[in-house]
Amino acid sequence: MSESKDKKKDIADNPRKEQECEEEQKRQEGIKVLAPSPYFANQEGVKGGEIKGELVTFAVMSSNKIEGKIYTKHSVLLEELRKYLPEFFVLHNFGARQTKGFGSFTIGAIDGEGWHVDENLPKAFAERQVYLLIGDSGSETIEDDVDEAISKVFDLIQDKHRKIKTKSLREYLGGKTERDLCKSLLNHQKPSDPGSYVFARALLGLTNVYSFRGKGKKKVSIRVKYNRRRSKSQTNTIERFPTPLLYKPISIDGAYKVYIIAQPIPKQMRGAAFDFCAPQMKQVWVRTSKDFKLTTFLSSKDCAQHIKKL
């Protein structure tokens, strides 16, 4: 007897398993694997144009309502949860790559009582610095069938975040950045006053490897390492720093809007020094800005074509 027949016979002989199987099928009905995946942490899985299935992470979307139950003997706690939980979901995402919009949920109802996100957003955002992402056409909403809309949402987040943390930030600072310094060194040019450069993009998210184009437009990977001595800090090491921009896609009446919630930049990231190392260039160090104000930057003319303040 084949394996599939064995499985069917086992289910038929066991009513409980049959019920569990039916429940699982219902749960799966509204779940789709989005392809091409908008989950753009797939560098290793798509190197050189070759897709390595075991390394590629797919985005999964559920159109079903997700129900959760909270059990407690404390009625006061339940009241507090009813009061604050909907706003908590508006202000936070969950899981991997949550700052880029993944793991975004909003509550539709508690104990059968509807919670209308569009009516409650002003209250939820009242004490936060919140901005709205704008498409290249100037549109603030994305309307399409669900699959297409979701893909457009994450394409928009990826594109705008890249532009904000590179071109907009360089224009706002108006000075020489780590990009200018590394390009000079990779092209075997001696930069004047290396100490006058600023590590700009680190304050909008730090990783330990950056790519720059050197001679012949070839991309070169440069490792970044925290320099505690030059930072004059008690912080032993800084390896990564998630972006302080939390992208929050929210569906209202079938149309998506992407909100950006600005979060504080840790004190240890201000004025921190980092070494830039690559075999193709001389090692240098660059410091982050001490007095960079995130909300001033986001409200500046340099960001005006990408976002607007609520």
Side-chain angles (χ1 to χ4, degrees):
M1 191 179 283
S2 68
E3 185 181 346
S4 60
K5 286 181 179 178
D6 282 338
K7 189 173 181 182
K8 287 178 181 177
K9 185 177 184 301
D10 185 40
I11 290 172
D13 292 342
N14 190 328
R16 185 175 176 182
K17 277 194 175 181
E18 187 175 1
Q19 184 182 354
E20 288 176 355
C21 186
E22 288 176 0
E23 289 175 355
E24 179 62 24
Q25 285 178 343
K26 284 181 182 178
R27 281 195 293 270
Q28 295 291 336
E29 279 174 6
I31 295 176
K32 295 181 180 179
V33 173
L34 302 181
S37 173
Y39 191 94
F40 42 91
N42 287 327
Q43 293 92 335
E44 291 299 316
V46 293
K47 262 186 178 176
E50 179 186 356
I51 298 176
K52 300 175 183 176
E54 72 277 8
L55 294 177
V56 175
T57 305
F58 292 96
V60 178
M61 177 190 68
S62 173
S63 57
N64 285 338
K65 291 180 180 178
I66 299 171
E67 291 187 9
K69 293 184 179 180
I70 298 173
Y71 296 93
T72 178
K73 295 178 181 178
H74 304 286
S75 58
V76 174
L77 176 58
L78 282 175
E79 286 306 314
E80 291 296 295
L81 287 170
R82 284 192 187 94
K83 183 178 178 181
Y84 294 111
L85 204 58
E87 290 182 18
F88 177 83
F89 272 78
V90 167
L91 297 172
H92 298 83
N93 294 333
F94 302 87
R97 310 225 15 121
Q98 58 185 265
T99 56
K100 303 302 190 305
F102 292 92
S104 176
F105 299 87
T106 52
I107 286 180
I110 295 182
D111 289 342
E113 184 180 340
W115 194 85
H116 303 286
V117 65
D118 53 332
E119 297 174 7
N120 288 281
L121 279 182
K123 182 184 174 186
F125 289 155
E127 296 182 11
R128 304 283 177 144
Q129 297 294 325
V130 183
Y131 303 79
L132 191 61
L133 209 56
I134 302 171
D136 289 336
S137 64
S139 174
E140 299 172 4
T141 60
I142 295 173
E143 298 182 62
D144 213 322
D145 64 78
V146 177
D147 290 7
E148 284 296 318
I150 290 290
S151 293
K152 288 178 180 178
V153 162
F154 288 106
D155 285 346
L156 180 66
I157 291 172
Q158 184 180 17
D159 178 56
K160 292 296 184 177
H161 183 68
R162 178 180 55 81
K163 289 175 179 175
I164 289 168
K165 74 176 183 179
T166 53
K167 186 179 179 182
S168 294
L169 188 57
R170 288 198 302 270
E171 290 175 353
Y172 174 75
L173 292 172
K176 297 176 287 186
T177 68
E178 78 286 346
R179 175 177 176 270
D180 305 305
L181 177 59
C182 289
K183 286 186 76 171
S184 294
L185 293 169
L186 289 170
N187 286 298
H188 308 295
Q189 298 169 356
K190 187 176 180 180
S192 59
D193 189 14
S196 65
Y197 291 81
V198 62
F199 190 2
R201 74 178 80 177
L203 293 175
L204 294 185
L206 172 72
T207 184
N208 53 15
V209 178
Y210 290 93
S211 293
F212 297 93
R213 293 193 184 276
K215 211 164 187 179
K217 301 295 182 180
K218 186 178 179 181
K219 275 192 175 183
V220 177
S221 293
I222 297 177
R223 297 197 67 81
V224 176
K225 187 178 179 182
Y226 177 63
N227 188 321
R228 183 185 176 188
R229 182 179 64 83
R230 290 191 183 276
S231 298
K232 298 177 182 177
S233 169
Q234 297 300 312
T235 304
N236 289 326
T237 185
I238 302 174
E239 292 185 0
R240 298 181 74 88
F241 162 57
T243 177
L245 304 179
L246 177 73
Y247 291 87
K248 184 72 184 181
I250 294 178
S251 175
I252 301 173
D253 295 330
Y256 281 88
K257 289 187 176 185
V258 181
Y259 298 90
I260 304 175
I261 303 171
Q263 302 177 102
I265 296 174
K267 181 181 177 183
Q268 58 266 34
M269 279 298 299
R270 298 183 180 280
F274 294 85
D275 294 324
F276 282 63
C277 321
Q280 297 91 332
M281 68 176 220
K282 178 184 176 183
Q283 180 173 315
V284 291
W285 64 273
V286 191
R287 196 184 297 279
T288 62
S289 171
K290 286 184 179 180
D291 51 8
F292 175 76
K293 292 182 179 178
L294 180 59
T295 53
T296 304
F297 164 61
L298 295 175
S299 300
S300 70
K301 61 180 178 61
D302 303 296
C303 290
Q305 68 184 98
H306 307 306
I307 61 176
K308 78 170 191 178
K309 181 82 169 65
L310 286 188

PDB file of all heavy atoms in Angstrom, residues 164-183:
ATOM      1  N   ILE A 164      16.084  57.249   1.125  1.00  0.00           N
ATOM      2  CA  ILE A 164      16.146  58.101   2.318  1.00  0.00           C
ATOM      3  C   ILE A 164      17.500  57.989   2.998  1.00  0.00           C
ATOM      4  O   ILE A 164      18.103  58.990   3.398  1.00  0.00           O
ATOM      5  CB  ILE A 164      15.008  57.738   3.301  1.00  0.00           C
ATOM      6  CG1 ILE A 164      13.655  58.186   2.735  1.00  0.00           C
ATOM      7  CG2 ILE A 164      15.228  58.379   4.674  1.00  0.00           C
ATOM      8  CD1 ILE A 164      12.458  57.631   3.483  1.00  0.00           C
ATOM      9  N   LYS A 165      18.007  56.745   3.138  1.00  0.00           N
ATOM     10  CA  LYS A 165      19.244  56.552   3.908  1.00  0.00           C
ATOM     11  C   LYS A 165      20.511  56.839   3.097  1.00  0.00           C
ATOM     12  O   LYS A 165      21.608  56.869   3.662  1.00  0.00           O
ATOM     13  CB  LYS A 165      19.305  55.132   4.462  1.00  0.00           C
ATOM     14  CG  LYS A 165      19.620  54.058   3.459  1.00  0.00           C
ATOM     15  CD  LYS A 165      19.757  52.696   4.140  1.00  0.00           C
ATOM     16  CE  LYS A 165      20.146  51.627   3.133  1.00  0.00           C
ATOM     17  NZ  LYS A 165      20.305  50.302   3.752  1.00  0.00           N
ATOM     18  N   THR A 166      20.369  57.046   1.792  1.00  0.00           N
ATOM     19  CA  THR A 166      21.551  57.341   0.980  1.00  0.00           C
ATOM     20  C   THR A 166      21.490  58.777   0.438  1.00  0.00           C
ATOM     21  O   THR A 166      22.000  59.700   1.051  1.00  0.00           O
ATOM     22  CB  THR A 166      21.693  56.319  -0.163  1.00  0.00           C
ATOM     23  OG1 THR A 166      20.459  56.257  -0.904  1.00  0.00           O
ATOM     24  CG2 THR A 166      22.025  54.945   0.383  1.00  0.00           C
ATOM     25  N   LYS A 167      20.802  58.963  -0.672  1.00  0.00           N
ATOM     26  CA  LYS A 167      20.801  60.274  -1.330  1.00  0.00           C
ATOM     27  C   LYS A 167      20.231  61.378  -0.447  1.00  0.00           C
ATOM     28  O   LYS A 167      20.846  62.447  -0.293  1.00  0.00           O
ATOM     29  CB  LYS A 167      20.018  60.195  -2.636  1.00  0.00           C
ATOM     30  CG  LYS A 167      20.089  61.486  -3.448  1.00  0.00           C
ATOM     31  CD  LYS A 167      19.315  61.371  -4.754  1.00  0.00           C
ATOM     32  CE  LYS A 167      19.381  62.689  -5.514  1.00  0.00           C
ATOM     33  NZ  LYS A 167      18.601  62.630  -6.776  1.00  0.00           N
ATOM     34  N   SER A 168      19.054  61.146   0.150  1.00  0.00           N
ATOM     35  CA  SER A 168      18.429  62.194   0.978  1.00  0.00           C
ATOM     36  C   SER A 168      19.319  62.567   2.157  1.00  0.00           C
ATOM     37  O   SER A 168      19.468  63.744   2.489  1.00  0.00           O
ATOM     38  CB  SER A 168      17.061  61.732   1.487  1.00  0.00           C
ATOM     39  OG  SER A 168      16.152  61.580   0.432  1.00  0.00           O
ATOM     40  N   LEU A 169      19.902  61.557   2.793  1.00  0.00           N
ATOM     41  CA  LEU A 169      20.738  61.813   3.962  1.00  0.00           C
ATOM     42  C   LEU A 169      22.017  62.554   3.586  1.00  0.00           C
ATOM     43  O   LEU A 169      22.437  63.481   4.283  1.00  0.00           O
ATOM     44  CB  LEU A 169      21.077  60.495   4.659  1.00  0.00           C
ATOM     45  CG  LEU A 169      21.790  60.590   6.009  1.00  0.00           C
ATOM     46  CD1 LEU A 169      20.979  61.422   6.990  1.00  0.00           C
ATOM     47  CD2 LEU A 169      22.042  59.207   6.590  1.00  0.00           C
ATOM     48  N   ARG A 170      22.625  62.178   2.459  1.00  0.00           N
ATOM     49  CA  ARG A 170      23.841  62.870   2.004  1.00  0.00           C
ATOM     50  C   ARG A 170      23.537  64.329   1.693  1.00  0.00           C
ATOM     51  O   ARG A 170      24.305  65.228   2.047  1.00  0.00           O
ATOM     52  CB  ARG A 170      24.421  62.169   0.766  1.00  0.00           C
ATOM     53  CG  ARG A 170      25.070  60.836   1.049  1.00  0.00           C
ATOM     54  CD  ARG A 170      25.984  60.402  -0.088  1.00  0.00           C
ATOM     55  NE  ARG A 170      25.291  60.308  -1.367  1.00  0.00           N
ATOM     56  CZ  ARG A 170      24.695  59.216  -1.824  1.00  0.00           C
ATOM     57  NH1 ARG A 170      24.685  58.122  -1.096  1.00  0.00           N
ATOM     58  NH2 ARG A 170      24.103  59.217  -3.005  1.00  0.00           N
ATOM     59  N   GLU A 171      22.411  64.572   1.024  1.00  0.00           N
ATOM     60  CA  GLU A 171      22.045  65.954   0.685  1.00  0.00           C
ATOM     61  C   GLU A 171      21.750  66.761   1.942  1.00  0.00           C
ATOM     62  O   GLU A 171      22.090  67.944   2.025  1.00  0.00           O
ATOM     63  CB  GLU A 171      20.834  65.950  -0.256  1.00  0.00           C
ATOM     64  CG  GLU A 171      21.159  65.420  -1.641  1.00  0.00           C
ATOM     65  CD  GLU A 171      19.929  65.300  -2.527  1.00  0.00           C
ATOM     66  OE1 GLU A 171      18.805  65.510  -2.005  1.00  0.00           O
ATOM     67  OE2 GLU A 171      20.086  65.000  -3.736  1.00  0.00           O
ATOM     68  N   TYR A 172      21.113  66.128   2.914  1.00  0.00           N
ATOM     69  CA  TYR A 172      20.764  66.819   4.158  1.00  0.00           C
ATOM     70  C   TYR A 172      22.020  67.210   4.942  1.00  0.00           C
ATOM     71  O   TYR A 172      22.120  68.343   5.433  1.00  0.00           O
ATOM     72  CB  TYR A 172      19.887  65.916   5.013  1.00  0.00           C
ATOM     73  CG  TYR A 172      19.590  66.462   6.388  1.00  0.00           C
ATOM     74  CD1 TYR A 172      18.669  67.496   6.583  1.00  0.00           C
ATOM     75  CD2 TYR A 172      20.232  65.945   7.524  1.00  0.00           C
ATOM     76  CE1 TYR A 172      18.401  68.000   7.840  1.00  0.00           C
ATOM     77  CE2 TYR A 172      19.953  66.441   8.792  1.00  0.00           C
ATOM     78  CZ  TYR A 172      19.048  67.463   8.949  1.00  0.00           C
ATOM     79  OH  TYR A 172      18.788  67.961  10.198  1.00  0.00           O
ATOM     80  N   LEU A 173      22.970  66.294   5.032  1.00  0.00           N
ATOM     81  CA  LEU A 173      24.192  66.583   5.798  1.00  0.00           C
ATOM     82  C   LEU A 173      25.072  67.588   5.064  1.00  0.00           C
ATOM     83  O   LEU A 173      25.813  68.345   5.696  1.00  0.00           O
ATOM     84  CB  LEU A 173      24.962  65.288   6.058  1.00  0.00           C
ATOM     85  CG  LEU A 173      24.269  64.313   7.022  1.00  0.00           C
ATOM     86  CD1 LEU A 173      24.999  62.980   7.065  1.00  0.00           C
ATOM     87  CD2 LEU A 173      24.172  64.907   8.414  1.00  0.00           C
ATOM     88  N   GLY A 174      24.990  67.577   3.740  1.00  0.00           N
ATOM     89  CA  GLY A 174      25.698  68.589   2.955  1.00  0.00           C
ATOM     90  C   GLY A 174      27.203  68.515   3.030  1.00  0.00           C
ATOM     91  O   GLY A 174      27.900  69.409   2.552  1.00  0.00           O
ATOM     92  N   GLY A 175      27.742  67.484   3.631  1.00  0.00           N
ATOM     93  CA  GLY A 175      29.189  67.368   3.756  1.00  0.00           C
ATOM     94  C   GLY A 175      29.688  66.073   3.167  1.00  0.00           C
ATOM     95  O   GLY A 175      29.004  65.392   2.402  1.00  0.00           O
ATOM     96  N   LYS A 176      30.885  65.706   3.556  1.00  0.00           N
ATOM     97  CA  LYS A 176      31.507  64.497   3.023  1.00  0.00           C
ATOM     98  C   LYS A 176      31.130  63.305   3.897  1.00  0.00           C
ATOM     99  O   LYS A 176      31.217  63.364   5.117  1.00  0.00           O
ATOM    100  CB  LYS A 176      33.015  64.690   2.976  1.00  0.00           C
ATOM    101  CG  LYS A 176      33.445  65.820   2.044  1.00  0.00           C
ATOM    102  CD  LYS A 176      34.932  66.068   2.069  1.00  0.00           C
ATOM    103  CE  LYS A 176      35.371  66.747   3.345  1.00  0.00           C
ATOM    104  NZ  LYS A 176      36.793  67.129   3.334  1.00  0.00           N
ATOM    105  N   THR A 177      30.726  62.218   3.254  1.00  0.00           N
ATOM    106  CA  THR A 177      30.281  61.035   3.988  1.00  0.00           C
ATOM    107  C   THR A 177      31.239  59.869   3.757  1.00  0.00           C
ATOM    108  O   THR A 177      32.196  59.961   2.979  1.00  0.00           O
ATOM    109  CB  THR A 177      28.877  60.607   3.538  1.00  0.00           C
ATOM    110  OG1 THR A 177      28.947  60.126   2.179  1.00  0.00           O
ATOM    111  CG2 THR A 177      27.899  61.775   3.614  1.00  0.00           C
ATOM    112  N   GLU A 178      30.939  58.755   4.442  1.00  0.00           N
ATOM    113  CA  GLU A 178      31.759  57.543   4.290  1.00  0.00           C
ATOM    114  C   GLU A 178      31.815  57.070   2.842  1.00  0.00           C
ATOM    115  O   GLU A 178      32.808  56.509   2.391  1.00  0.00           O
ATOM    116  CB  GLU A 178      31.230  56.429   5.206  1.00  0.00           C
ATOM    117  CG  GLU A 178      29.995  55.679   4.739  1.00  0.00           C
ATOM    118  CD  GLU A 178      28.699  56.461   4.854  1.00  0.00           C
ATOM    119  OE1 GLU A 178      28.675  57.500   5.546  1.00  0.00           O
ATOM    120  OE2 GLU A 178      27.694  56.025   4.267  1.00  0.00           O
ATOM    121  N   ARG A 179      30.757  57.324   2.090  1.00  0.00           N
ATOM    122  CA  ARG A 179      30.713  56.929   0.678  1.00  0.00           C
ATOM    123  C   ARG A 179      31.784  57.674  -0.111  1.00  0.00           C
ATOM    124  O   ARG A 179      32.516  57.082  -0.922  1.00  0.00           O
ATOM    125  CB  ARG A 179      29.330  57.219   0.109  1.00  0.00           C
ATOM    126  CG  ARG A 179      29.177  56.961  -1.381  1.00  0.00           C
ATOM    127  CD  ARG A 179      27.725  57.229  -1.786  1.00  0.00           C
ATOM    128  NE  ARG A 179      27.518  57.093  -3.220  1.00  0.00           N
ATOM    129  CZ  ARG A 179      27.641  58.081  -4.083  1.00  0.00           C
ATOM    130  NH1 ARG A 179      27.980  59.305  -3.667  1.00  0.00           N
ATOM    131  NH2 ARG A 179      27.428  57.880  -5.376  1.00  0.00           N
ATOM    132  N   ASP A 180      31.887  58.976   0.106  1.00  0.00           N
ATOM    133  CA  ASP A 180      32.886  59.781  -0.607  1.00  0.00           C
ATOM    134  C   ASP A 180      34.303  59.344  -0.238  1.00  0.00           C
ATOM    135  O   ASP A 180      35.181  59.249  -1.100  1.00  0.00           O
ATOM    136  CB  ASP A 180      32.697  61.264  -0.275  1.00  0.00           C
ATOM    137  CG  ASP A 180      31.286  61.741  -0.573  1.00  0.00           C
ATOM    138  OD1 ASP A 180      30.842  61.569  -1.712  1.00  0.00           O
ATOM    139  OD2 ASP A 180      30.625  62.264   0.350  1.00  0.00           O
ATOM    140  N   LEU A 181      34.522  59.075   1.059  1.00  0.00           N
ATOM    141  CA  LEU A 181      35.850  58.680   1.531  1.00  0.00           C
ATOM    142  C   LEU A 181      36.265  57.339   0.928  1.00  0.00           C
ATOM    143  O   LEU A 181      37.381  57.202   0.399  1.00  0.00           O
ATOM    144  CB  LEU A 181      35.844  58.597   3.056  1.00  0.00           C
ATOM    145  CG  LEU A 181      37.149  58.126   3.724  1.00  0.00           C
ATOM    146  CD1 LEU A 181      38.307  59.052   3.373  1.00  0.00           C
ATOM    147  CD2 LEU A 181      36.976  58.045   5.238  1.00  0.00           C
ATOM    148  N   CYS A 182      35.378  56.353   0.978  1.00  0.00           N
ATOM    149  CA  CYS A 182      35.712  55.020   0.468  1.00  0.00           C
ATOM    150  C   CYS A 182      35.915  55.031  -1.038  1.00  0.00           C
ATOM    151  O   CYS A 182      36.812  54.361  -1.562  1.00  0.00           O
ATOM    152  CB  CYS A 182      34.636  54.023   0.864  1.00  0.00           C
ATOM    153  SG  CYS A 182      34.630  53.637   2.630  1.00  0.00           S
ATOM    154  N   LYS A 183      35.112  55.800  -1.760  1.00  0.00           N
ATOM    155  CA  LYS A 183      35.275  55.868  -3.216  1.00  0.00           C
ATOM    156  C   LYS A 183      36.621  56.483  -3.586  1.00  0.00           C
ATOM    157  O   LYS A 183      37.274  56.048  -4.531  1.00  0.00           O
ATOM    158  CB  LYS A 183      34.127  56.665  -3.836  1.00  0.00           C
ATOM    159  CG  LYS A 183      32.806  55.903  -3.851  1.00  0.00           C
ATOM    160  CD  LYS A 183      31.723  56.649  -4.582  1.00  0.00           C
ATOM    161  CE  LYS A 183      31.907  56.575  -6.078  1.00  0.00           C
ATOM    162  NZ  LYS A 183      30.741  57.126  -6.812  1.00  0.00           N
TER     163      LYS A 183
END
